[in-house]
Amino acid sequence: MATSSDRPLTTVESDTLADTFSAAGPLARQFPGYAPREPQLEMARAVARALAHSDTLVVEAGTGVGKTLAYLVPALLAGRRVIISTGTRNLQDQLFHRDLPNVTAALGQPVRTALLKGRSNYLCRYRLNKARGKALGPHIEAALERIALWAEGTRTGDIAEAGIGEAHPVWAHVTSQVDDCAGHEGPDASGCFVLKARRRAQAADLVVVNHHLLLADFALKEEGFGELLPGADACIVDEAHQLPEVATRFFGSRVSGRQISTALADLERELDDGVTDAEDILPSARAVRDASALFRTRLGPPQQRVNFNALSTAARRALDELDAALGDLARVLDPIASLTTGLDSVARRVGQFVETLARVTDDNDDQVRWLETLGNGYALHSTPLDAAGPLGDMMQQVDTAWVLTSATLAIGDRFEHFTERVGLAEPTTLKLGSPFDFEQHARLFLPKGLPLPSDAGFTAAVVRTALPLIEASGGSAFLLFTSRRALREAAGHLRDYRAHPILVQDDAPRDDLLRRFREHGRAVLLGTASFWEGVDVRGQALRLVVIDKLPFSPPGDPVTEARLAALRRSGVNPFMRHQVPEAVITLKQGVGRLIRDPDDLGVCVLCDPRVTAKAYG
């Protein structure tokens, strides 16, 4: 791999960046408390080189480097058309509404910017009007009236602006959905927020998207529109460690019982409007509903993830019946699909269900075929073993500079694990350590005498170990677990604990829990995967992070098992080649929650005795 200094900047470019990031520069004047950081300037220069020469750059920037400014400043100064992709909607909003305005104000460089999200983040006026005529219950109907008032004044239609929690059930009735989209033919097409957002993105100099939309644009799938990447001079991927898994999901196929039920409900609404004779269609629709229900019954208990080959004979027969019923419904709908936009949408979806089931039932060495049971529902998946091929193709097919950055990309000083997973052969790489003084501000505690994680009493032992530490820190603690089962067990052990408030993931929305945690200052928060990364709590509110065990992929997961088997067949040790590197990256994310500011102090506790007992520790 190349190093980041192979191609120099001009003296003017280098001096401009040095002045911008100096103690007397425009960033210092714009951001209270700003202090120059040599790693930040080094990253900015590397990004500027990549943009100038259309190179591919991979940067690990440790906590506190300030990577957002380090890529935004050279991107804006370069005067290029840039796409920035983030991992989550929250990060999109933070970048677009907070970071970008501050940096453009500091540089005095106005630029046309746009925020583009997936369509389900935008209000659909057509669906809102339809929903207001239904009996949906007082809770949802009251929210509909609030949304109707907001809709009169909103410019973007972005539901994050409405002041109603994004988890509220009302949004399922009024946001834009590809399965129920009238598109250009709809009665409110001139006011369609999705179309407006896409047009703003096409006209902008800098567009903020998320990883899923970036991939959709490349693949020309419905949510993208195939005109961002080809016209961009640079693409910057933040939180790039998430990209391989997002790509794996994106390039796969999925059909669920809920999707089928929704399509059938939409079909019934169309038939109720009397657009065609329902007598020929209803029997086929009922057959699909009955076959879907039977298949779910045959799958057994909820919360399972199993390989398709592990299906029982009875479940296979039920799936064959569902496949046949969907095929019959598709044939019945075909002659009448053009009568209305709604019928056309249902017919398209039913056809896609048939195609997806064919992929799931067809044995393909490049795909993992698996299913999961979700309460009373189910989902069937066909997932690629490896997304490196299409990802590498995406980056090679467009004449664009690529910058991929995160706080966690390297294993030791090497980037091969990440670059192989995204299909990059010889990128330029740069690893920048955190400027924070961890030796003075943080301690790592490895408790002795704990049982192995496989022991039935392990989680109880973790809680017993954590309690005196929580008392010593006065609360202000994260307890991070690698599974929901362990989380719920730990919550049970702390049910009667009264010294500090206990906040548990899933008991309230994530953002609400974090707000309460910060505001109280001495609370204890129990979380799993979504709290290991993307969470920023600065100051005294977080002084203790307890991690139950090394975050290896859960045993028995069908996708992980298939990947490990493929590596084994190729003569590679799957544990050292895949499982250990993935655990390292996730562990770095979890530990990274502790110190978020130069003045932060704290202790990280890792309760897994394998760290010292095993060679890989």
Side-chain angles (χ1 to χ4, degrees), residues 546-597:
V546 179
I547 295 174
D548 68 337
K549 60 182 178 181
L550 296 172
F552 290 116
S553 301
D557 179 83
V559 178
T560 299
E561 291 298 323
R563 285 177 181 160
L564 301 184
L567 289 170
R568 209 173 287 117
R569 286 193 299 271
S570 65
V572 173
N573 180 336
F575 183 71
M576 296 305 297
R577 181 67 172 269
H578 181 78
Q579 288 176 283
V580 168
E582 286 294 295
V584 167
I585 288 173
T586 305
L587 183 61
K588 285 166 72 173
Q589 285 286 338
V591 172
R593 296 315 98 210
L594 182 64
I595 303 296
R596 308 298 300 174
D597 196 77

Short mmCIF file of all heavy atoms in Angstrom, two decimals, residues 546-597:
data_model
loop_
_atom_site.label_atom_id
_atom_site.label_comp_id
_atom_site.label_asym_id
_atom_site.label_seq_id
_atom_site.Cartn_x
_atom_site.Cartn_y
_atom_site.Cartn_z
N VAL A 546 -17.95 -0.41 31.18
CA VAL A 546 -17.76 -1.83 31.49
C VAL A 546 -18.20 -2.64 30.27
O VAL A 546 -19.33 -2.51 29.81
CB VAL A 546 -18.58 -2.25 32.73
CG1 VAL A 546 -18.37 -3.74 33.03
CG2 VAL A 546 -18.17 -1.41 33.94
N ILE A 547 -17.30 -3.46 29.73
CA ILE A 547 -17.59 -4.31 28.58
C ILE A 547 -17.59 -5.76 29.04
O ILE A 547 -16.63 -6.21 29.66
CB ILE A 547 -16.54 -4.08 27.47
CG1 ILE A 547 -16.65 -2.65 26.95
CG2 ILE A 547 -16.70 -5.09 26.35
CD1 ILE A 547 -15.57 -2.27 25.95
N ASP A 548 -18.68 -6.47 28.75
CA ASP A 548 -18.79 -7.80 29.33
C ASP A 548 -17.79 -8.79 28.74
O ASP A 548 -17.12 -9.52 29.46
CB ASP A 548 -20.24 -8.34 29.24
CG ASP A 548 -20.71 -8.64 27.84
OD1 ASP A 548 -20.15 -8.07 26.89
OD2 ASP A 548 -21.66 -9.44 27.70
N LYS A 549 -17.64 -8.81 27.39
CA LYS A 549 -16.70 -9.78 26.81
C LYS A 549 -16.26 -9.33 25.43
O LYS A 549 -16.80 -8.38 24.86
CB LYS A 549 -17.33 -11.16 26.74
CG LYS A 549 -18.59 -11.24 25.89
CD LYS A 549 -19.16 -12.66 25.94
CE LYS A 549 -20.45 -12.77 25.14
NZ LYS A 549 -21.03 -14.12 25.19
N LEU A 550 -15.26 -10.01 24.91
CA LEU A 550 -14.77 -9.69 23.58
C LEU A 550 -15.90 -9.86 22.57
O LEU A 550 -16.60 -10.87 22.58
CB LEU A 550 -13.60 -10.62 23.21
CG LEU A 550 -12.35 -10.47 24.08
CD1 LEU A 550 -11.34 -11.57 23.75
CD2 LEU A 550 -11.73 -9.10 23.89
N PRO A 551 -16.08 -8.88 21.68
CA PRO A 551 -17.26 -8.88 20.80
C PRO A 551 -17.09 -9.75 19.55
O PRO A 551 -17.14 -9.25 18.42
CB PRO A 551 -17.42 -7.40 20.45
CG PRO A 551 -16.02 -6.88 20.49
CD PRO A 551 -15.32 -7.62 21.59
N PHE A 552 -16.90 -11.05 19.75
CA PHE A 552 -16.87 -11.96 18.62
C PHE A 552 -18.28 -12.10 18.04
O PHE A 552 -19.28 -11.96 18.76
CB PHE A 552 -16.36 -13.34 19.04
CG PHE A 552 -14.90 -13.37 19.38
CD1 PHE A 552 -14.48 -13.67 20.67
CD2 PHE A 552 -13.94 -13.09 18.43
CE1 PHE A 552 -13.14 -13.71 21.00
CE2 PHE A 552 -12.59 -13.11 18.74
CZ PHE A 552 -12.19 -13.41 20.03
N SER A 553 -18.36 -12.40 16.74
CA SER A 553 -19.66 -12.63 16.12
C SER A 553 -20.37 -13.76 16.85
O SER A 553 -19.73 -14.75 17.25
CB SER A 553 -19.49 -13.00 14.64
OG SER A 553 -18.83 -11.98 13.95
N PRO A 554 -21.69 -13.65 17.04
CA PRO A 554 -22.40 -14.69 17.81
C PRO A 554 -22.31 -16.04 17.11
O PRO A 554 -22.46 -16.13 15.89
CB PRO A 554 -23.85 -14.18 17.84
CG PRO A 554 -23.95 -13.20 16.71
CD PRO A 554 -22.59 -12.60 16.56
N PRO A 555 -22.06 -17.11 17.87
CA PRO A 555 -22.01 -18.44 17.27
C PRO A 555 -23.37 -18.84 16.72
O PRO A 555 -24.41 -18.49 17.27
CB PRO A 555 -21.61 -19.35 18.44
CG PRO A 555 -22.02 -18.60 19.67
CD PRO A 555 -21.86 -17.15 19.33
N GLY A 556 -23.35 -19.53 15.60
CA GLY A 556 -24.61 -19.99 15.01
C GLY A 556 -25.24 -19.02 14.04
O GLY A 556 -26.21 -19.36 13.38
N ASP A 557 -24.71 -17.78 13.93
CA ASP A 557 -25.26 -16.85 12.95
C ASP A 557 -25.01 -17.41 11.56
O ASP A 557 -23.85 -17.71 11.20
CB ASP A 557 -24.60 -15.48 13.09
CG ASP A 557 -25.13 -14.49 12.07
OD1 ASP A 557 -26.19 -13.91 12.33
OD2 ASP A 557 -24.49 -14.33 11.02
N PRO A 558 -26.05 -17.56 10.73
CA PRO A 558 -25.87 -18.27 9.45
C PRO A 558 -24.92 -17.57 8.49
O PRO A 558 -24.16 -18.23 7.78
CB PRO A 558 -27.29 -18.33 8.88
CG PRO A 558 -28.08 -17.31 9.62
CD PRO A 558 -27.46 -17.21 10.97
N VAL A 559 -24.90 -16.23 8.47
CA VAL A 559 -24.01 -15.52 7.56
C VAL A 559 -22.56 -15.67 8.02
O VAL A 559 -21.66 -15.97 7.22
CB VAL A 559 -24.40 -14.04 7.46
CG1 VAL A 559 -23.44 -13.29 6.54
CG2 VAL A 559 -25.83 -13.89 6.95
N THR A 560 -22.34 -15.50 9.32
CA THR A 560 -20.98 -15.66 9.85
C THR A 560 -20.48 -17.08 9.62
O THR A 560 -19.33 -17.28 9.19
CB THR A 560 -20.94 -15.32 11.35
OG1 THR A 560 -21.35 -13.96 11.53
CG2 THR A 560 -19.56 -15.51 11.92
N GLU A 561 -21.31 -18.06 9.92
CA GLU A 561 -20.90 -19.45 9.76
C GLU A 561 -20.54 -19.75 8.31
O GLU A 561 -19.57 -20.46 8.02
CB GLU A 561 -22.02 -20.38 10.22
CG GLU A 561 -22.27 -20.37 11.73
CD GLU A 561 -21.06 -20.83 12.52
OE1 GLU A 561 -20.37 -21.76 12.06
OE2 GLU A 561 -20.78 -20.25 13.58
N ALA A 562 -21.30 -19.21 7.36
CA ALA A 562 -21.01 -19.45 5.94
C ALA A 562 -19.69 -18.79 5.53
O ALA A 562 -18.91 -19.37 4.78
CB ALA A 562 -22.16 -18.92 5.08
N ARG A 563 -19.43 -17.59 6.04
CA ARG A 563 -18.16 -16.93 5.72
C ARG A 563 -16.98 -17.72 6.29
O ARG A 563 -15.95 -17.88 5.62
CB ARG A 563 -18.16 -15.51 6.31
CG ARG A 563 -19.01 -14.53 5.54
CD ARG A 563 -19.00 -13.18 6.23
NE ARG A 563 -19.85 -12.22 5.53
CZ ARG A 563 -20.32 -11.12 6.08
NH1 ARG A 563 -20.06 -10.84 7.34
NH2 ARG A 563 -21.07 -10.29 5.37
N LEU A 564 -17.12 -18.18 7.52
CA LEU A 564 -16.04 -18.94 8.13
C LEU A 564 -15.79 -20.24 7.37
O LEU A 564 -14.64 -20.65 7.16
CB LEU A 564 -16.36 -19.24 9.60
CG LEU A 564 -16.59 -18.02 10.51
CD1 LEU A 564 -16.80 -18.45 11.94
CD2 LEU A 564 -15.43 -17.05 10.41
N ALA A 565 -16.86 -20.89 6.95
CA ALA A 565 -16.72 -22.14 6.19
C ALA A 565 -16.01 -21.89 4.86
O ALA A 565 -15.17 -22.69 4.43
CB ALA A 565 -18.10 -22.77 5.96
N ALA A 566 -16.33 -20.78 4.20
CA ALA A 566 -15.69 -20.45 2.92
C ALA A 566 -14.20 -20.20 3.12
O ALA A 566 -13.37 -20.65 2.31
CB ALA A 566 -16.36 -19.24 2.30
N LEU A 567 -13.83 -19.49 4.19
CA LEU A 567 -12.42 -19.26 4.48
C LEU A 567 -11.70 -20.58 4.78
O LEU A 567 -10.57 -20.81 4.33
CB LEU A 567 -12.27 -18.29 5.66
CG LEU A 567 -12.65 -16.84 5.39
CD1 LEU A 567 -12.69 -16.06 6.69
CD2 LEU A 567 -11.64 -16.19 4.44
N ARG A 568 -12.38 -21.44 5.54
CA ARG A 568 -11.79 -22.74 5.88
C ARG A 568 -11.51 -23.56 4.62
O ARG A 568 -10.46 -24.19 4.49
CB ARG A 568 -12.75 -23.48 6.82
CG ARG A 568 -12.10 -24.45 7.78
CD ARG A 568 -13.11 -25.00 8.79
NE ARG A 568 -13.50 -24.00 9.77
CZ ARG A 568 -14.73 -23.52 9.93
NH1 ARG A 568 -15.70 -23.94 9.15
NH2 ARG A 568 -14.97 -22.63 10.86
N ARG A 569 -12.47 -23.51 3.67
CA ARG A 569 -12.29 -24.26 2.42
C ARG A 569 -11.12 -23.73 1.60
O ARG A 569 -10.48 -24.46 0.86
CB ARG A 569 -13.58 -24.20 1.58
CG ARG A 569 -14.70 -25.05 2.11
CD ARG A 569 -15.81 -25.20 1.07
NE ARG A 569 -16.41 -23.94 0.68
CZ ARG A 569 -17.45 -23.39 1.30
NH1 ARG A 569 -18.00 -24.00 2.35
NH2 ARG A 569 -17.95 -22.23 0.88
N SER A 570 -10.83 -22.44 1.75
CA SER A 570 -9.73 -21.85 0.99
C SER A 570 -8.39 -22.00 1.69
O SER A 570 -7.38 -21.46 1.24
CB SER A 570 -10.01 -20.37 0.71
OG SER A 570 -10.03 -19.64 1.92
N GLY A 571 -8.36 -22.73 2.82
CA GLY A 571 -7.12 -22.99 3.52
C GLY A 571 -6.69 -21.90 4.48
O GLY A 571 -5.54 -21.88 4.94
N VAL A 572 -7.61 -21.00 4.82
CA VAL A 572 -7.30 -19.89 5.72
C VAL A 572 -7.89 -20.18 7.11
O VAL A 572 -8.97 -20.77 7.22
CB VAL A 572 -7.89 -18.57 5.15
CG1 VAL A 572 -7.73 -17.43 6.13
CG2 VAL A 572 -7.24 -18.23 3.83
N ASN A 573 -7.18 -19.76 8.14
CA ASN A 573 -7.69 -19.88 9.51
C ASN A 573 -8.77 -18.81 9.70
O ASN A 573 -8.46 -17.62 9.83
CB ASN A 573 -6.56 -19.68 10.52
CG ASN A 573 -7.05 -19.80 11.95
OD1 ASN A 573 -8.22 -19.61 12.27
ND2 ASN A 573 -6.14 -20.13 12.85
N PRO A 574 -10.06 -19.19 9.72
CA PRO A 574 -11.12 -18.17 9.77
C PRO A 574 -11.15 -17.39 11.08
O PRO A 574 -11.56 -16.23 11.09
CB PRO A 574 -12.40 -18.99 9.58
CG PRO A 574 -12.05 -20.37 10.02
CD PRO A 574 -10.60 -20.56 9.70
N PHE A 575 -10.69 -18.01 12.15
CA PHE A 575 -10.72 -17.32 13.43
C PHE A 575 -9.76 -16.13 13.42
O PHE A 575 -10.13 -15.00 13.78
CB PHE A 575 -10.36 -18.28 14.56
CG PHE A 575 -10.43 -17.67 15.93
CD1 PHE A 575 -11.66 -17.34 16.50
CD2 PHE A 575 -9.27 -17.41 16.66
CE1 PHE A 575 -11.73 -16.76 17.76
CE2 PHE A 575 -9.33 -16.82 17.91
CZ PHE A 575 -10.56 -16.51 18.46
N MET A 576 -8.51 -16.38 12.98
CA MET A 576 -7.53 -15.31 12.99
C MET A 576 -7.72 -14.35 11.82
O MET A 576 -7.38 -13.17 11.92
CB MET A 576 -6.11 -15.91 12.95
CG MET A 576 -5.76 -16.72 14.17
SD MET A 576 -5.96 -15.82 15.74
CE MET A 576 -4.76 -14.51 15.54
N ARG A 577 -8.27 -14.84 10.71
CA ARG A 577 -8.40 -13.99 9.52
C ARG A 577 -9.65 -13.11 9.58
O ARG A 577 -9.64 -11.98 9.07
CB ARG A 577 -8.46 -14.88 8.28
CG ARG A 577 -8.58 -14.14 6.96
CD ARG A 577 -7.32 -13.35 6.62
NE ARG A 577 -7.39 -12.82 5.27
CZ ARG A 577 -6.95 -13.45 4.19
NH1 ARG A 577 -6.39 -14.65 4.32
NH2 ARG A 577 -7.04 -12.90 3.00
N HIS A 578 -10.71 -13.59 10.20
CA HIS A 578 -11.97 -12.85 10.18
C HIS A 578 -12.47 -12.50 11.58
O HIS A 578 -12.74 -11.33 11.88
CB HIS A 578 -13.03 -13.66 9.45
CG HIS A 578 -14.35 -12.96 9.35
ND1 HIS A 578 -14.61 -11.95 8.45
CD2 HIS A 578 -15.51 -13.11 10.08
CE1 HIS A 578 -15.85 -11.51 8.61
NE2 HIS A 578 -16.41 -12.19 9.59
N GLN A 579 -12.61 -13.50 12.45
CA GLN A 579 -13.27 -13.24 13.73
C GLN A 579 -12.47 -12.33 14.64
O GLN A 579 -13.02 -11.40 15.25
CB GLN A 579 -13.56 -14.57 14.43
CG GLN A 579 -14.68 -15.37 13.77
CD GLN A 579 -14.88 -16.72 14.42
OE1 GLN A 579 -14.10 -17.64 14.18
NE2 GLN A 579 -15.91 -16.85 15.23
N VAL A 580 -11.16 -12.56 14.75
CA VAL A 580 -10.34 -11.70 15.62
C VAL A 580 -10.28 -10.26 15.10
O VAL A 580 -10.52 -9.32 15.86
CB VAL A 580 -8.93 -12.29 15.81
CG1 VAL A 580 -8.00 -11.28 16.47
CG2 VAL A 580 -9.00 -13.56 16.67
N PRO A 581 -10.00 -10.04 13.80
CA PRO A 581 -10.00 -8.64 13.32
C PRO A 581 -11.33 -7.92 13.52
O PRO A 581 -11.36 -6.74 13.90
CB PRO A 581 -9.66 -8.78 11.83
CG PRO A 581 -8.91 -10.06 11.72
CD PRO A 581 -9.52 -10.96 12.74
N GLU A 582 -12.44 -8.63 13.27
CA GLU A 582 -13.74 -7.99 13.47
C GLU A 582 -13.96 -7.64 14.94
O GLU A 582 -14.50 -6.57 15.27
CB GLU A 582 -14.86 -8.92 12.97
CG GLU A 582 -14.96 -9.01 11.46
CD GLU A 582 -15.37 -7.71 10.82
OE1 GLU A 582 -16.50 -7.25 11.08
OE2 GLU A 582 -14.55 -7.12 10.09
N ALA A 583 -13.54 -8.54 15.83
CA ALA A 583 -13.68 -8.26 17.27
C ALA A 583 -12.81 -7.09 17.69
O ALA A 583 -13.22 -6.26 18.52
CB ALA A 583 -13.32 -9.51 18.08
N VAL A 584 -11.62 -6.96 17.11
CA VAL A 584 -10.73 -5.85 17.43
C VAL A 584 -11.38 -4.52 17.06
O VAL A 584 -11.40 -3.57 17.85
CB VAL A 584 -9.38 -6.00 16.68
CG1 VAL A 584 -8.58 -4.70 16.75
CG2 VAL A 584 -8.58 -7.15 17.27
N ILE A 585 -11.95 -4.44 15.85
CA ILE A 585 -12.57 -3.19 15.40
C ILE A 585 -13.75 -2.81 16.29
O ILE A 585 -13.90 -1.66 16.70
CB ILE A 585 -12.99 -3.33 13.92
CG1 ILE A 585 -11.74 -3.34 13.03
CG2 ILE A 585 -13.93 -2.19 13.52
CD1 ILE A 585 -12.03 -3.64 11.58
N THR A 586 -14.60 -3.80 16.61
CA THR A 586 -15.76 -3.52 17.46
C THR A 586 -15.32 -3.12 18.87
O THR A 586 -15.88 -2.21 19.48
CB THR A 586 -16.69 -4.73 17.52
OG1 THR A 586 -17.05 -5.12 16.19
CG2 THR A 586 -17.96 -4.42 18.30
N LEU A 587 -14.30 -3.82 19.41
CA LEU A 587 -13.81 -3.50 20.75
C LEU A 587 -13.25 -2.07 20.79
O LEU A 587 -13.49 -1.33 21.75
CB LEU A 587 -12.75 -4.50 21.17
CG LEU A 587 -12.19 -4.35 22.59
CD1 LEU A 587 -13.29 -4.50 23.62
CD2 LEU A 587 -11.07 -5.35 22.84
N LYS A 588 -12.52 -1.67 19.74
CA LYS A 588 -11.99 -0.31 19.69
C LYS A 588 -13.13 0.70 19.71
O LYS A 588 -13.01 1.77 20.33
CB LYS A 588 -11.14 -0.14 18.43
CG LYS A 588 -9.78 -0.82 18.51
CD LYS A 588 -9.11 -0.92 17.15
CE LYS A 588 -8.61 0.39 16.65
NZ LYS A 588 -7.81 0.23 15.39
N GLN A 589 -14.24 0.38 19.04
CA GLN A 589 -15.39 1.28 19.07
C GLN A 589 -15.94 1.40 20.49
O GLN A 589 -16.24 2.50 20.97
CB GLN A 589 -16.48 0.77 18.13
CG GLN A 589 -16.19 0.99 16.66
CD GLN A 589 -16.36 2.44 16.24
OE1 GLN A 589 -17.04 3.21 16.90
NE2 GLN A 589 -15.73 2.81 15.13
N GLY A 590 -16.10 0.26 21.18
CA GLY A 590 -16.66 0.28 22.53
C GLY A 590 -15.78 1.04 23.51
O GLY A 590 -16.25 1.89 24.27
N VAL A 591 -14.47 0.76 23.48
CA VAL A 591 -13.54 1.45 24.37
C VAL A 591 -13.51 2.94 24.05
O VAL A 591 -13.36 3.78 24.95
CB VAL A 591 -12.12 0.84 24.22
CG1 VAL A 591 -11.09 1.66 25.00
CG2 VAL A 591 -12.12 -0.60 24.72
N GLY A 592 -13.73 3.27 22.78
CA GLY A 592 -13.71 4.67 22.36
C GLY A 592 -14.82 5.52 22.94
O GLY A 592 -14.79 6.75 22.79
N ARG A 593 -15.81 4.91 23.59
CA ARG A 593 -16.88 5.71 24.21
C ARG A 593 -16.35 6.50 25.42
O ARG A 593 -16.92 7.52 25.80
CB ARG A 593 -18.03 4.81 24.71
CG ARG A 593 -18.80 4.03 23.67
CD ARG A 593 -19.18 4.84 22.47
NE ARG A 593 -18.22 4.62 21.38
CZ ARG A 593 -17.90 5.51 20.46
NH1 ARG A 593 -18.45 6.70 20.48
NH2 ARG A 593 -17.02 5.23 19.52
N LEU A 594 -15.23 6.04 26.03
CA LEU A 594 -14.84 6.56 27.35
C LEU A 594 -14.27 7.98 27.29
O LEU A 594 -14.75 8.87 28.00
CB LEU A 594 -13.81 5.62 27.98
CG LEU A 594 -13.34 6.00 29.39
CD1 LEU A 594 -14.51 5.95 30.37
CD2 LEU A 594 -12.22 5.06 29.84
N ILE A 595 -13.26 8.20 26.49
CA ILE A 595 -12.59 9.50 26.45
C ILE A 595 -12.98 10.21 25.15
O ILE A 595 -12.58 9.81 24.06
CB ILE A 595 -11.05 9.33 26.50
CG1 ILE A 595 -10.65 8.55 27.76
CG2 ILE A 595 -10.37 10.69 26.46
CD1 ILE A 595 -10.98 9.24 29.07
N ARG A 596 -13.77 11.27 25.29
CA ARG A 596 -14.28 11.99 24.12
C ARG A 596 -13.80 13.44 24.07
O ARG A 596 -14.14 14.17 23.15
CB ARG A 596 -15.82 11.99 24.13
CG ARG A 596 -16.46 10.63 24.28
CD ARG A 596 -16.13 9.70 23.14
NE ARG A 596 -16.56 10.21 21.86
CZ ARG A 596 -16.27 9.61 20.70
NH1 ARG A 596 -15.53 8.52 20.68
NH2 ARG A 596 -16.71 10.13 19.56
N ASP A 597 -13.01 13.84 25.07
CA ASP A 597 -12.60 15.22 25.19
C ASP A 597 -11.23 15.25 25.89
O ASP A 597 -10.95 14.35 26.69
CB ASP A 597 -13.63 16.01 26.00
CG ASP A 597 -13.49 17.51 25.84
OD1 ASP A 597 -13.91 18.03 24.80
OD2 ASP A 597 -12.94 18.15 26.76
#
